[in-house]
Amino acid sequence: MSKPCDIGLIGLAVMGENLALNMESRGYRVAVFNRTTSVTDKFIAGRAQGKSFVGCHTVEDLVKNLATPRKVMLMVKAGPAVDALIDQLLPLLSPGDVIIDGGNTYYLDTERRTQYVESKGLLYVGTGVSGGEEGALLGPSLMPGGSPAAWPLVKGIFQAIAAKVGPKNDIPCAEWVGPRGAGHYVKMVHNGIEYGDMQLICEAYFVLKKALGLSNDQLHDVFNTWNKGELDSYLIEITRDIFSVRDPDTGDFLVDRVLDTAGAKGTGKWMSQLALDLGVPSTLVTEAVYARGLSAMKDARVRASQVLTGPAPEFVGDKQKFIDQTREALYASKICSYAQGFVQMEAAAAEHKWPLNFGDIALLWRGGCIIRAAFLDRIKEAFDADTKLENLLLAPYFTAAVQKAQPAWRHVVSTVVALGIPTPAFASAMAYYDGYRTARLPANLLQAQRDYFGAHTYQRTDKPGVFHSDWLHLRKEPK
């Protein structure tokens, strides 16, 4: 038998293939298996040729080629396929071996699977993997959770293949997140923040295009400038690049040929649903999911556009000043989006008793992933300074940043409302900020209404206890 492999990987779609190549490039010997044998053979004869791989035609063959304790990473579609592979692997593995799920798995499935695999004497890791195809190959952001005893066994590989950040480019974007489903929950929040980020950027684009009439060349220059400041990020960078691409078939700008409908794979919806379960207002991701839903109603929108009217988007004023104000509005809204994501993770950590380190999580997102951005360093600094920070908006840097942006932010939102340009995420971020900074909200009236029609009771501001009033008989008769 040849030298044992350091890790096995099942599932050779693009992400699995690129992760396997990444591992091998870092000095690891990798056994690979795909359910369709021809896929394995094509990989071994192609991109893997001459490299330190062992192609396997059965799961049993893959397990036999692994050094102990064995580590098997599953890169297959989330859902029943993962459970089926776990059941197939368990009889072939030994106590102390590790099964790793690198898919976009719902965190409660990882909670369940961790307990199940541990009950069989093995270890389980559910890890978020972010960065797309390029990240998988060159260095992703990894968010592992599961069996704590598994981390020392996979840490070397994970941190070797992860993206690196820091002054010396030597801090890996891979660190233990927490037990059971914590890693996949954090990945879900990452994806939800990504939804919000993308929607906010799209709204900024729409404002500049519809209100100011900027051309794609001008939009390219604007986003190029923005990427050199506080908005420096992967998403701003690729948005800039998109505005420079022409369609080889027509010669037109390709972005203008893309149909304006968008779908959602599920993680954004999960985050929104779970926020409702926790009672935390993650409004940015929710608005982003709804915006995608509305975009998908293309035929209905076209019909409605022939019937429903609104103001003509005719901007009057200093265009360059409004571009700068839009940048400030985008930044302030982005801060609110990230603040909501961390608040939701704090609530989930309390609910599930996960010892999450929010500064480390911010660092995990600093490189390799889709939401990587320069200002994540500021988030890490905020949580390092106050590990019990209640909300990012209360950290001095972000308090000052939003305060500085407020006049521009409010001006942009009010202007685009007057012009009839939809910016639900901008407006939602501002509503969240204003609601969060308001000591007394109108929920007193809401509670009174609930008690009036349903005897749901209420609490008082002037004395403790739970109360119910006979509002019908206490009311003042109309004159």
Side-chain angles (χ1 to χ4, degrees):
M1 177 178 170
S2 61
K3 178 184 175 184
C5 295
D6 301 293
I7 188 168
L9 188 141
I10 297 176
L12 290 173
V14 175
M15 285 291 289
E17 204 174 275
N18 282 357
L19 268 179
L21 288 165
N22 186 347
M23 292 172 184
E24 193 276 342
S25 73
R26 309 296 174 180
Y28 295 100
R29 185 167 174 80
V30 185
V32 294
F33 166 79
N34 196 82
R35 185 177 60 178
T36 304
T37 301
S38 60
V39 172
T40 304
D41 293 342
K42 181 180 176 182
F43 175 65
I44 294 298
R47 298 177 77 193
Q49 189 173 30
K51 295 183 169 67
S52 193
F53 284 100
V54 174
C56 304
H57 287 176
T58 65
V59 173
E60 290 82 356
D61 189 23
L62 179 131
V63 170
K64 288 176 184 176
N65 274 282
L66 299 180
T68 56
R70 302 177 186 89
K71 296 170 280 291
V72 182
M73 187 164 189
L74 314 181
M75 292 300 295
V76 299
K77 186 177 180 180
V82 178
D83 290 308
L85 274 170
I86 289 171
D87 285 336
Q88 190 176 357
L89 283 165
L90 285 175
L92 306 174
L93 298 174
S94 305
D97 290 347
V98 185
I99 299 174
I100 305 161
D101 173 19
N104 258 343
T105 293
Y106 188 58
Y107 86 103
L108 284 178
D109 286 338
T110 306
E111 292 265 310
R112 169 179 57 81
R113 288 167 183 154
T114 302
Q115 294 171 352
Y116 174 60
V117 171
E118 287 179 346
S119 73
K120 304 296 184 181
L122 284 80
L123 304 173
Y124 194 77
V125 172
T127 184
V129 180
S130 180
E133 299 173 18
E134 181 181 346
L137 181 64
L138 302 178
S141 168
L142 298 170
M143 295 153 258
S147 308
W151 179 233
L153 304 179
V154 301
K155 180 178 180 179
I157 296 176
F158 276 31
Q159 294 194 337
I161 67 172
K164 308 296 190 298
V165 296
K168 297 181 180 179
N169 207 38
D170 60 351
I171 302 173
C173 294
E175 189 53 74
W176 187 249
V177 172
R180 305 181 308 281
H184 274 134
Y185 196 100
V186 169
K187 174 57 164 57
M188 177 197 69
V189 172
H190 162 282
N191 284 22
I193 290 174
E194 179 186 310
Y195 271 56
D197 255 4
M198 294 173 72
Q199 178 63 27
L200 288 167
I201 291 169
C202 289
E203 291 181 12
Y205 149 69
F206 209 49
V207 168
L208 299 181
K209 183 180 177 70
K210 299 286 285 186
L212 304 187
L214 296 194
S215 68
N216 287 319
D217 286 332
Q218 290 170 320
L219 287 164
H220 173 277
D221 293 344
V222 167
F223 277 82
N224 185 52
T225 300
W226 287 2
N227 199 48
K228 296 174 182 176
E230 71 271 19
L231 288 171
D232 174 14
S233 65
Y234 174 70
L235 284 171
I236 293 290
E237 177 186 322
I238 67 168
T239 303
R240 173 202 66 195
D241 294 347
I242 285 168
F243 292 123
S244 71
V245 177
R246 288 189 178 270
D247 177 19
D249 294 331
T250 65
D252 298 334
F253 283 100
L254 184 55
V255 68
D256 296 329
R257 290 285 178 173
V258 177
L259 186 66
D260 59 322
T261 64
K265 288 188 175 180
T267 44
K269 184 174 69 174
W270 291 347
M271 180 177 169
S272 181
Q273 291 170 328
L274 291 166
L276 290 170
D277 291 341
L278 289 168
V280 296
S282 294
T283 58
L284 266 293
V285 62
T286 303
E287 286 294 351
V289 171
Y290 284 149
R292 293 190 185 197
L294 188 58
S295 81
M297 298 168 60
K298 176 67 174 179
D299 293 343
R301 287 189 291 113
V302 170
R303 290 191 295 270
S305 71
Q306 307 303 314
V307 179
L308 305 178
T309 62
E314 296 179 3
F315 177 82
V316 177
D318 185 329
K319 287 190 175 183
Q320 184 55 54
K321 183 177 181 181
F322 195 73
I323 290 170
D324 292 337
Q325 290 169 329
T326 303
R327 171 184 52 77
E328 291 187 82
L330 176 56
Y331 189 52
S333 300
K334 181 184 177 83
I335 291 170
C336 288
S337 180
Y338 280 72
Q340 290 179 2
F342 277 89
V343 166
Q344 181 163 339
M345 285 192 290
E346 288 172 0
E351 174 90 1
H352 297 287
K353 296 179 173 57
W354 295 331
L356 301 186
N357 184 313
F358 300 109
D360 283 353
I361 289 169
L363 195 62
L364 293 181
W365 296 345
R366 182 65 182 84
C369 67
I370 304 303
I371 65 170
R372 59 184 183 267
F375 100 129
L376 283 158
D377 287 332
R378 298 290 191 176
I379 296 179
K380 176 164 175 56
E381 290 167 5
F383 282 108
D384 285 350
D386 181 1
T387 57
K388 296 182 179 180
L389 180 64
E390 192 173 12
N391 190 302
L392 276 176
L393 289 168
L394 303 180
Y397 172 83
F398 292 111
T399 302
V402 175
Q403 186 64 31
K404 178 177 178 292
Q406 265 199 78
W409 191 15
R410 295 187 187 283
H411 176 68
V412 168
V413 172
S414 61
T415 298
V416 297
V417 168
L419 294 176
I421 300 171
T423 54
F426 272 24
S428 178
M430 178 166 288
Y432 172 78
Y433 176 79
D434 284 337
Y436 187 60
R437 68 178 183 82
T438 301
R440 184 167 172 82
L441 290 169
N444 57 315
L445 177 58
L446 187 149
Q447 289 298 81
Q449 292 169 333
R450 294 178 71 243
D451 192 53
Y452 190 118
F453 67 66
H456 290 291
T457 72
Y458 61 92
Q459 294 173 288
R460 296 178 61 105
T461 61
D462 54 352
K463 54 186 175 183
V466 177
F467 301 88
H468 167 62
S469 296
D470 188 349
W471 298 87
L472 179 64
H473 293 97
L474 288 172
R475 80 192 194 286
K476 180 180 180 181
E477 291 289 345
K479 293 182 181 178

